[in-house]
């Protein structure tokens, strides 16, 4: 079994560069299926989720050519040969469901198994399906599969999302980009990753306006051509390193981090007593490891991101005073609490609220990454803890962090990956 072994208590100092965003690159890779000519994505991160989505679209007929040295991938979707995504791939990752929109747009049919991913709570696909029905698709469900058909093509329509779901917004945008007529998405998600997807689609010839607001207008076009695109930086990876530096202490410059994508995280770090400098090409954190309590409540963008909740909770475990962490997006995103308690954290849960009484120091322990961001939180905790911390179930972390060990080592962390 592979483990991360961390000897904590060492300040972090230096510069590291954030990779391209996992949550942006996955829908963009799905969107390459819409193009009749090849697309090229630049600075693609080495992530398990990227590998999985590439396998999914390869199974549908897309020719995927990877250049690891250049971190580039070329996608040729001139001919799609299948409309059913294999169960064994889709079950690995929820984002695989994003191929349904492009398949409906290009082929008029899609059959996909119910998706998997991190077990952080119910993430129903009903918003996706209701939207596809509004665009004229018929939906059948059975034997663990969703079968959508639009043999005469999709038709533009008014789509209202009951919740500003990122995945549903992305899926509807891709489907509507080639639908006949105009589509208006109301209560759309506003995340930067949505904006990046639309930037890519518009460079392919799509006609989409309003990304980054809660109303998106799409005029369908008959064909999309491939394009060259560089994906935005990963705001969650950046936030993770900012919190790691705040907890362990030191002076860290996170290059390629966009502070406008991280406003709530930066604000809460400052509230916790951390010195944060926002620059054009990155964010600098200076900390002596002395932290103050701060409360957070997760919300859809531009609120505090649910993907940063676990990492910030780790920070509050060693902050002076009592902090509260309210999770409003996913109902089962406190699985890291029991693992942090193994390290001495004082946390109690009341429904969707975690109450954290800060202590002076955590102590090392063997803990497991219960999901992607929980794993990141435990790494942050291990860097600040006394003694040795071992983090297991690294497959979760590999899904979303490119060269985590290498980047932390460059900052002076005592961290190694071992196979025991």
């Amino acid at each position: 079994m592979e483990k991360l072994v961390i000897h904590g208590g060492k300040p972090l100092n230096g510069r590291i560069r954030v990779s391209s965003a996992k949550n942006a690159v996955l829908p963009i890779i799905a969107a390459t299926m819409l193009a009749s000519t090849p697309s090229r994505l630049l600075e693609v991160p080495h992530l398990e989720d990227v590998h999985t989505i590439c396998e999914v679209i390869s199974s549908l007929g897309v020719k995927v050519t990877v250049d690891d040295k250049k971190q580039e991938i070329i996608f040729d979707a001139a001919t799609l040969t299948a409309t059913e995504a294999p169960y064994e791939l889709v079950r690995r990752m929820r984002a695989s469901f994003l191929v349904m929109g492009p398949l409906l747009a290009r082929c008029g049919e899609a059959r996909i198994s119910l998706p998997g991913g991190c077990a952080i709570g119910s993430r129903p696909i009903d918003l996706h399906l209701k939207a596809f029905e509004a665009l004229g698709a018929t939906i059948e469900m059975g034997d663990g599969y969703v079968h959508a058909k639009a043999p005469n093509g999709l038709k533009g329509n008014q789509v209202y999302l009951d919740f500003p779901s990122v995945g549903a917004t992305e899926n509807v945008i891709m489907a509507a980009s080639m639908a006949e007529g105009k589509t208006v998405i109301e209560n759309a998600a506003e995340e930067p990753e949505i904006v990046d997807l639309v930037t890519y689609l518009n460079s392919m010839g799509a006609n989409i306006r309003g990304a980054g607001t809660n109303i998106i207008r799409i005029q369908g076009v008959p064909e999309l051509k491939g394009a060259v695109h560089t994906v935005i930086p990963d705001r969650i990876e950046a936030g993770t390193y900012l919190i790691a530096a705040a907890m362990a202490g030191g002076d860290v410059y996170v290059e390629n981090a966009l502070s406008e994508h991280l406003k709530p995280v930066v604000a809460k770090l400052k509230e916790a007593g951390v010195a944060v400098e926002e620059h054009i090409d990155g964010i600098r954190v200076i900390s002596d490891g002395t932290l103050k309590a701060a409360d957070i409540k997760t919300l859809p963008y531009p609120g505090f991101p649910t993907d940063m909740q676990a990492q910030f909770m780790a920070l509050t475990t060693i902050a002076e005073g009592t902090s509260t962490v309210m999770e409003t997006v996913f109902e089962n995103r406190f699985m890291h609490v029991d693992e942090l308690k193994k390290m001495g954290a004082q946390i109690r849960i009341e429904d969707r609220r975690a109450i954290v009484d800060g202590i002076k120091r955590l102590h090392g322990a063997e803990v497991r990454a219960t999901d992607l961001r929980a794993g990141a939180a435990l790494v942050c905790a291990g860097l600040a803890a006394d003694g040795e911390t071992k983090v297991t179930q690294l497959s979760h972390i590999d899904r979303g962090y490119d060269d985590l060990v290498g980047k932390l080592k460059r900052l002076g962390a005592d961290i190694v990956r071992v196979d025991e």
Side-chain angles (χ1 to χ4, degrees), residues 133-360:
E133 286 180 323
L135 297 179
T138 59
I139 307 291
E140 297 176 2
M141 298 184 68
D143 301 323
Y145 277 81
V146 178
H147 194 181
K149 293 180 182 178
N152 298 315
L154 297 171
K155 312 295 181 186
N157 200 354
Q158 204 88 3
V159 174
Y160 178 82
L161 298 177
D162 294 331
F163 177 83
S165 158
V166 174
T169 301
E170 291 166 341
N171 233 340
V172 180
I173 288 172
M174 290 187 284
S177 65
M178 293 177 66
E180 181 185 327
K182 183 178 179 180
T183 297
V184 178
I185 307 173
E186 296 182 282
N187 200 29
E190 302 175 33
E191 273 75 358
E193 294 79 13
I194 303 283
V195 178
D196 203 37
L197 172 63
V198 168
T199 299
Y200 168 66
L201 288 169
N202 281 343
S203 70
M204 297 166 71
N207 185 355
I208 306 169
R209 299 291 179 267
T213 75
N214 64 358
I215 298 179
I216 299 175
R217 294 174 170 84
I218 305 162
Q219 181 65 50
V221 298
E223 185 181 27
L224 296 173
K225 301 283 190 180
V228 178
H229 184 75
T230 302
V231 179
I232 59 171
D234 195 317
R235 61 192 171 102
I236 306 303
E237 183 193 5
T240 300
Y241 292 130
L242 296 178
I243 284 178
M247 291 182 68
D251 184 344
V252 171
Y253 194 97
V254 182
E255 298 175 8
N256 202 33
L258 299 177
S259 59
E260 58 265 36
H261 291 173
L262 283 162
K263 286 180 180 179
V265 176
V266 168
K268 286 299 175 179
L269 282 171
K270 289 178 178 177
E271 189 178 323
V274 180
V276 184
E277 297 177 2
E278 300 171 55
H279 298 270
I280 292 173
D281 64 342
I283 304 173
R284 181 186 184 190
V285 163
I286 304 169
S287 171
D288 62 3
T290 303
L291 302 165
K292 296 183 292 186
D295 301 335
I296 62 167
K297 179 181 181 180
T298 65
L299 291 165
Y301 190 87
F304 194 95
T306 182
D307 278 354
M308 286 300 306
Q309 178 257 103
Q311 300 92 307
F312 200 87
M313 186 188 290
L315 179 147
T316 64
T317 64
I318 55 170
E320 183 180 353
T322 299
S323 305
T324 60
V325 176
M326 175 75 78
E327 175 59 58
T328 72
V329 180
F330 294 119
E331 76 277 7
N332 192 29
R333 206 161 200 180
F334 282 156
M335 292 188 292
H336 46 278
V337 167
D338 286 340
E339 304 306 307
L340 288 169
K341 283 183 175 180
K342 293 177 184 176
M343 304 177 72
Q346 300 294 309
I347 308 170
R348 61 188 186 277
I349 297 175
E350 296 176 357
D351 195 25
R352 287 195 172 194
R353 183 198 308 267
I355 301 163
V356 187
D357 295 317
I359 59 175
K360 286 195 173 181

Side-chain angles (χ1 to χ4, degrees), residues 1 16 29 32 69 100 102 124 149 170 202 253 277 297 318 326 377-378 396 405 418:
M1 182 200 309
I16 50 171
I29 288 174
T32 65
K69 190 173 288 186
M100 180 162 273
K149 293 180 182 178
E170 291 166 341
N202 281 343
Y253 194 97
E277 297 177 2
K297 179 181 181 180
I318 55 170
M326 175 75 78
L378 295 171
H396 290 298
V405 171
V418 299

Side-chain angles (χ1 to χ4, degrees), residues 362-375:
L362 297 169
H363 58 75
E366 178 150 337
V367 291
R368 63 189 182 95
T370 52
D371 61 72
L372 169 57
R373 306 307 174 183

Side-chain angles (χ1 to χ4, degrees), residues 347-412:
I347 308 170
R348 61 188 186 277
I349 297 175
E350 296 176 357
D351 195 25
R352 287 195 172 194
R353 183 198 308 267
I355 301 163
V356 187
D357 295 317
I359 59 175
K360 286 195 173 181
R361 300 283 288 186
L362 297 169
H363 58 75
E366 178 150 337
V367 291
R368 63 189 182 95
T370 52
D371 61 72
L372 169 57
R373 306 307 174 183
L378 295 171
V379 170
C380 291
L383 292 168
D386 287 332
E388 181 180 85
T389 297
K390 292 183 178 180
V391 183
T392 64
Q393 294 191 9
L394 302 187
S395 59
H396 290 298
I397 296 175
D398 292 340
R399 290 186 49 229
Y401 289 90
D402 185 357
D403 192 26
L404 176 76
V405 171
K407 288 177 181 178
L408 289 173
K409 279 191 168 196
R410 287 195 285 280
L411 297 177

